[in-house]
Amino acid sequence: MKNNFQILVILLLTFFVSCKKTEKVLVDDPQQGSITIAADESFRSVSEALTQRYMALNPKTKINLVIKKEDLAFLDLLENKVRVIVMSRELSDEEKQAYKNKIDMDLVPAKFAADAVVFVVSKNSVRESISIGEIDKELNSENKNIIFDGTNSSNLNFVAQKLNKKPSELKFSIINGNRNIIDEINKHPEKIGAISLNTISRPYDKESQDLRNSIKIIPVIQNQKPVMPELANIRNMNYPFTRFLYFITNEAYYGLGNGLIRFSCQQLGQIVVQKEGLQPYYIFKREVQMR
């Protein structure tokens, strides 16, 4: 009888220890675990670079990056289908309330980069610039000369917000993918593509630079002066379609999602942003010791 009791105690202890070990493995932290995050096609490059660098520094982590339209990514966040999303536009009051109701957390956007919506045309186009008034006019024309990469996309959402309109009020053409937009405008010189700077900003990436060299980037007229989407103008917010990229999470503890966010906003992550040809949100000064 005594032996049976001892065997029972050993079995119970083994069960409890096993449960604790299983629980420890299932709960992620910044150094281990697996999560899914989502980003719009326009932010694919910088999102991939940040996640890949983070996983290289933390080999026990797995971050699955899903490319999805900005509005749909936000819905997935509310439904806990993804842990983190990348956004560019301001959330509406209704969206902020939905986040509060569904996630039951304070909304704390974590800005990590400045990007821009860039207007591009074929090199054969006679157009040399465009004003905000002309953009507004084109987006009310049945010609639908401005091409976006889809409804619910970050570029369309941001331009509509800039014009104080809803995307449904605008008239435009749709072609999925920023790269496909570039192919289309090269066939039709009268068309204007609205793409993300991140699509063509990587200075050491051959595909990115080939795309950039195949088009003409047109400045936006601001206060009667043409302003190009260059880093200096983005840094100073002079380019009118400058936007901040930021993370939102539904993670209520310091897990892998918040680990990625913290990394992206600190020096190593900001170096990755800079290498992507974007403007880091946090600027780190280089200190040089003179001997």
Side-chain angles (χ1 to χ4, degrees), residues 12-24:
L12 286 172
L13 286 173
T14 303
F15 173 77
F16 286 123
V17 170
S18 175
C19 286
K20 286 182 179 180
K21 285 183 178 179
T22 302
E23 182 181 0
K24 185 176 181 181

Side-chain angles (χ1 to χ4, degrees), residues 120-139:
V120 298
V121 294
S122 164
K123 284 193 170 183
N124 297 324
S125 173
V126 297
R127 182 179 286 277
E128 296 296 333
S129 65
I130 193 166
S131 67
I132 294 177
E134 286 175 313
I135 293 170
D136 193 13
K137 183 179 178 180
E138 288 286 359
L139 290 173

Side-chain angles (χ1 to χ4, degrees), residues 57-249:
L57 293 171
N58 299 276
K60 293 183 179 180
T61 62
K62 174 63 176 175
I63 302 173
N64 303 298
L65 174 63
V66 175
I67 302 302
K68 183 168 282 195
K69 299 299 183 186
E70 190 176 54
D71 290 350
L72 302 181
F74 180 70
L75 293 177
D76 280 357
L77 185 80
L78 297 184
E79 297 298 327
N80 289 305
K81 294 178 180 178
V82 297
R83 188 77 64 83
V84 177
I85 62 171
V86 180
M87 294 285 293
S88 64
R89 65 173 175 82
E90 290 289 328
L91 295 180
S92 66
D93 291 339
E94 291 80 8
E95 288 170 325
K96 291 176 181 177
Q97 189 59 50
Y99 179 90
K100 181 67 176 175
N101 293 340
K102 297 278 282 187
I103 309 300
D104 194 26
M105 288 169 50
D106 291 331
L107 182 65
V108 184
K111 296 177 181 178
F112 66 93
D115 182 42
V117 175
V118 179
F119 295 92
V120 298
V121 294
S122 164
K123 284 193 170 183
N124 297 324
S125 173
V126 297
R127 182 179 286 277
E128 296 296 333
S129 65
I130 193 166
S131 67
I132 294 177
E134 286 175 313
I135 293 170
D136 193 13
K137 183 179 178 180
E138 288 286 359
L139 290 173
N140 283 282
S141 169
E142 294 296 338
N143 293 329
K144 299 181 180 180
N145 280 331
I146 298 183
I147 308 174
F148 289 93
D149 59 338
T151 55
N152 303 310
S153 68
S154 64
N155 295 332
L156 174 60
N157 290 340
F158 184 78
V159 171
Q161 196 169 67
K162 183 73 177 178
L163 298 175
N164 294 315
K165 294 185 177 180
K166 296 178 180 178
S168 59
E169 297 172 343
L170 305 178
K171 298 173 182 178
F172 50 88
S173 299
I174 295 175
I175 294 179
N176 286 328
N178 285 229
R179 292 165 175 81
N180 293 330
I181 290 176
I182 291 174
D183 290 339
E184 186 68 13
I185 63 171
N186 281 326
K187 298 175 186 174
H188 303 281
E190 76 280 4
K191 298 293 185 181
I192 303 166
I195 67 173
S196 66
L197 177 63
N198 193 214
T199 302
I200 54 174
S201 64
R202 299 177 72 179
Y204 307 110
D205 180 71
K206 187 177 186 304
E207 182 182 5
S208 178
Q209 291 311 299
D210 286 346
L211 288 172
R212 186 169 189 141
N213 293 333
S214 69
I215 55 174
K216 180 166 60 175
I217 300 172
I218 53 175
V220 176
I221 304 298
Q222 174 93 320
N223 298 324
Q224 300 182 335
K225 293 182 180 180
V227 184
M228 288 290 287
E230 298 169 345
L231 286 186
N233 292 326
I234 290 172
R235 184 182 306 117
N236 298 325
M237 298 291 290
N238 289 333
Y239 182 70
F241 288 92
T242 297
R243 60 186 175 184
F244 293 115
L245 305 186
Y246 62 93
F247 293 108
I248 305 177
T249 183

Side-chain angles (χ1 to χ4, degrees), residues 22-39:
T22 302
E23 182 181 0
K24 185 176 181 181
V25 171
L26 290 177
V27 177
D28 60 89
D29 61 47
Q31 283 78 45
Q32 66 173 358
S34 176
I35 63 170
T36 298
I37 71 171

